[in-house]
Amino acid sequence: MTRDVIVLTPTPPDRATLLAGLFAGGPDLRVDTAAESAVTQLCAPDGRPLVAIEASALVRVPAEVRRLLGVDAEGPVWWTEARASTAVPEAYALARSFAGRLATVLGGTVWPGGTVTTDVVPLRTDITAVPVPDTGIPAVDVLTPRALVVMQDRPVVPLSTWLADALRHAADGDRALQLVTPPASRLTLPLRTALRGLPHRWVVRDERQGLYDGLSGVRLRWSGGIFGPDLDERGAAILVEPFREPVAGAVRQLVLQARTRHHPDAELLLGGALEAVFRRLTGAAPRGWGTAEPAGNPWSRRQLTELARARAPRPTLLTVVGAGALATVRVLRTREGVEEDVTVVVGDTSTAGDGSGAGAGSDAEGPDAVGPDAVGPDAVEGVARELHARHGLVSLLASYRSGRADLTVPARFEAPPVPVRLLVPEDSARGGAGIPASVRLGAGTGAARLYRLGDGSDAVAAWRALERLTGEGGAGGGAGSGPGAGRSRG
C-alpha cells in the first residue's frame, strides 16, 4: 500500500528546488523518470522505485484544497504529490523529507500535517529482500492479466491524475481497476462514479473483517489475479457487518442526471446546461473544473469547450465543483451531434442530523449551505424547464438519496435513490392507467414530457411509477446511469 504526501506552495518548484528535495535520500539514491517524464522517481541504487513524484499542478480554486485535504488555502497554490511505497520502511520518511524541503524553500505547507522534516533519510533496509513490483505504471501496485490494483491510505481518496491514468491503462488492457483502502477511507463522487460497475471495485481491507467491497458490502477474496466475491457453501454472497452501520449525520442529496444535445457548429459553447443547473440549485456558477481532482481550473465554458474540441472524437470526462455541489460531465461526439451527460449532486444541509457526517473539507457548510427549497421538486421542475427551453435537454432523471454532507462516499450501506422527476422526449412518452401525472414542455418535434413521480417520501410508489414508464426500472437514454442511480452489488 502506498502513502501519499502533498506539498502546497505559492510558487512552482523549479529544477534546483526539486533536486534539493530529491537529495532527501542522500547521493546514493537514483533519480529516474516515467510516464513520458510526467513522473519523477526516487529509486534505490538497484533501480527499485521508492517515491514517485508527479509534476506540479496549479490549483486556482482554493476550496478544492479544503474539500480534498481538509486544510485551508488562502489563494492559488501549486500542488505537488508524492507517493511512497510501503514495501520499504524508509520510503515514507523520504517522501516527507522531500516535501519538507520543498515547503521550506518555497514557503509552503505539507499534508498530512505533523512535524516537517528536511533530514537525510539513510536507506537501511536490505533492498535485495524486497520484491520489485513490475507494473510499469507509477500508480499501480500490483499488475495481473486481469486487474490493476492500486493501494491508497488516505482519509478521502479523489479521482487523482494517478488514478485517472490507471483507469486509462485498465481500459486499454481490458483489465479491472481495483482500489484497495483501509475501512475509514471515503471516495469522492467522481472516483465513485469511475469505479461503478464490475469488474472495477473498491476493496476495503479490514484487519478484523478481512476484505470486502466498499460499495456493496460483499466479502471478497483474491483468486486468479483479481478480487472477487467470497461465496458461502450455497454459492451466495456474504455481507459483512461493518457495511450495515448507518452513515452518521446523513443529509438529503439531490441527484440530477441529464443529457443535452447540440448541433456541432463552430460557435458551440459547452457547459451552459451545467452552469444553469448550478445557478438554480446553489445560487452561483461552478467554481472550478478539471479532468481529475483537484479540479483546479476556474470555471470557464470556453476553456472546457476548447479541451473537448481538441480531444474529439474521443470522449472527454470532467469533474466540476461548486458551492455545496459536485458534478461529472461526459462530452461525446455522436451522429446526432455533441452530447453532454451531466450528473450533479447537491446536498441539502438543512436535513443533517448531528452534523457529524460533514467532513473537514465540506463545501456544504456555513454560507455555502443549500436549503430544502433550493433542491425541492419545484426547483427540479424549474431546472427541467430551463434546460429544455435553452440548452437542448434530451432526458432527465432527478432523485433524492441520503448521504454525507460533504458528498464523499463511505464504505457503508446507502439506500437506493428515490426518483422524483423524469423527462423524456414526447415521442417516448407513455399514457394510460397507472401512469403518473405529467406536463408537456415545448411543442413540435422538440417537445418533451415531464413526469411527476412523487416528492421523495414514498420510495416504493416512486420506483413502481418509474418502472411503468420505462419498463426496466430506470430512465433510458443514459439519464439513469450516474452515481445516484444505485450502488453496484457483488
Side-chain angles (χ1 to χ4, degrees):
M1 184 172 289
T2 55
R3 300 186 68 183
D4 299 344
V5 181
I6 297 166
V7 57
L8 306 170
T9 57
T11 57
D14 57 20
R15 183 176 178 83
T17 306
L18 283 173
L19 287 174
L22 291 168
F23 270 101
D28 294 333
L29 298 188
R30 293 172 44 183
V31 177
D32 201 354
T33 59
E36 300 179 351
S37 299
V39 175
T40 301
Q41 292 179 316
L42 189 60
C43 304
D46 66 350
R48 188 182 317 261
L50 302 174
V51 180
I53 301 143
E54 192 176 23
S56 301
L58 178 59
V59 179
R60 291 179 288 176
V61 184
E64 277 293 86
V65 178
R66 167 150 289 280
R67 181 175 73 89
L68 299 178
L69 303 182
V71 298
D72 290 318
E74 294 183 358
V77 294
W78 287 86
W79 177 298
T80 306
E81 189 160 341
R83 303 186 76 229
S85 168
T86 54
V88 179
E90 295 88 349
Y92 186 57
L94 281 170
R96 288 193 62 80
S97 182
F98 163 80
R101 289 173 178 227
L102 260 62
T104 299
V105 172
L106 301 175
T109 59
V110 176
W111 179 93
T115 304
V116 175
T117 177
T118 58
D119 296 340
V120 173
V121 180
L123 193 61
R124 296 189 173 92
T125 299
D126 180 8
I127 292 293
T128 60
V130 180
V132 181
D134 184 18
T135 69
I137 308 170
V140 175
D141 296 286
V142 178
L143 178 66
T144 77
R146 301 177 65 190
L148 281 74
V149 180
V150 178
M151 302 182 182
Q152 289 268 267
D153 184 7
R154 56 197 289 180
V156 176
V157 186
L159 181 58
S160 63
T161 52
W162 300 97
L163 287 175
D165 181 63
L167 277 166
R168 285 191 292 270
H169 280 282
D172 292 343
D174 196 24
R175 292 182 172 98
L177 176 65
Q178 301 197 315
L179 173 71
V180 182
T181 76
S185 293
R186 308 187 308 275
L187 307 187
T188 63
L189 278 167
L191 179 55
R192 186 262 176 270
T193 303
L195 292 178
R196 76 171 186 266
L198 300 176
H200 298 327
R201 281 193 189 276
W202 174 18
V203 181
V204 176
R205 186 165 69 177
D206 190 311
E207 292 183 357
R208 295 176 299 172
Q209 297 291 332
L211 302 168
Y212 62 93
D213 190 299
L215 298 176
S216 69
V218 169
R219 183 170 294 163
L220 302 173
R221 65 187 179 96
W222 177 261
S223 178
I226 195 168
F227 289 103
D230 185 12
L231 306 179
D232 63 17
E233 62 276 4
R234 298 171 298 172
I238 304 169
L239 193 67
V240 300
E241 284 302 318
F243 188 77
R244 303 176 190 269
E245 298 175 7
V247 176
V251 306
R252 182 177 69 163
Q253 298 174 356
L254 169 65
V255 182
L256 193 147
Q257 300 158 282
R259 170 170 291 179
T260 61
R261 184 176 297 144
H262 318 282
H263 182 69
D265 58 47
E267 302 302 318
L268 174 62
L269 202 60
L270 300 173
L274 185 63
E275 182 172 306
V277 171
F278 268 73
R279 288 190 183 280
R280 276 191 169 265
L281 299 182
T282 72
R287 288 174 172 171
W289 71 283
T291 56
E293 295 176 283
N297 305 308
W299 176 246
S300 169
R301 292 179 58 191
R302 185 166 299 281
Q303 291 179 4
L304 184 156
T305 303
E306 289 173 354
L307 174 65
R309 184 174 285 123
R311 292 177 57 85
R314 294 172 298 163
T316 297
L317 304 177
L318 303 171
T319 294
V320 179
V321 297
L326 277 172
T328 58
V329 185
R330 182 173 184 263
V331 181
L332 183 64
R333 181 72 167 89
T334 68
R335 288 180 297 178
E336 289 78 18
V338 179
E339 297 185 352
E340 294 176 272
D341 282 338
V342 174
T343 298
V344 183
V345 182
V346 186
D348 173 8
T349 54
S350 68
T351 63
D354 60 6
S356 60
S362 174
D363 271 349
E365 298 175 351
D368 287 341
V370 177
D373 293 339
V375 296
D378 290 342
V380 172
E381 289 203 10
V383 168
R385 292 177 185 276
E386 179 174 352
L387 298 191
H388 183 264
R390 301 180 182 178
H391 299 287
L393 182 64
V394 176
S395 61
L396 176 144
L397 175 64
S399 307
Y400 292 129
R401 56 172 288 176
S402 179
R404 289 176 55 97
D406 61 8
L407 305 183
T408 60
V409 180
R412 294 287 186 271
F413 172 76
E414 294 177 352
V418 182
V420 292
R421 293 294 185 272
L422 172 70
L423 180 140
V424 298
E426 180 69 19
D427 57 11
S428 299
R430 294 187 180 184
I435 297 299
S438 65
V439 293
R440 191 171 189 258
L441 303 185
T445 58
R449 182 67 59 175
L450 179 64
Y451 291 95
R452 295 165 174 163
L453 309 178
D455 61 3
S457 60
D458 190 337
V460 174
W463 276 108
R464 286 176 177 170
L466 186 61
E467 289 170 3
R468 286 193 293 270
L469 286 169
T470 65
E472 56 186 23
S481 59
R487 310 191 70 158
S488 56
R489 314 302 296 181

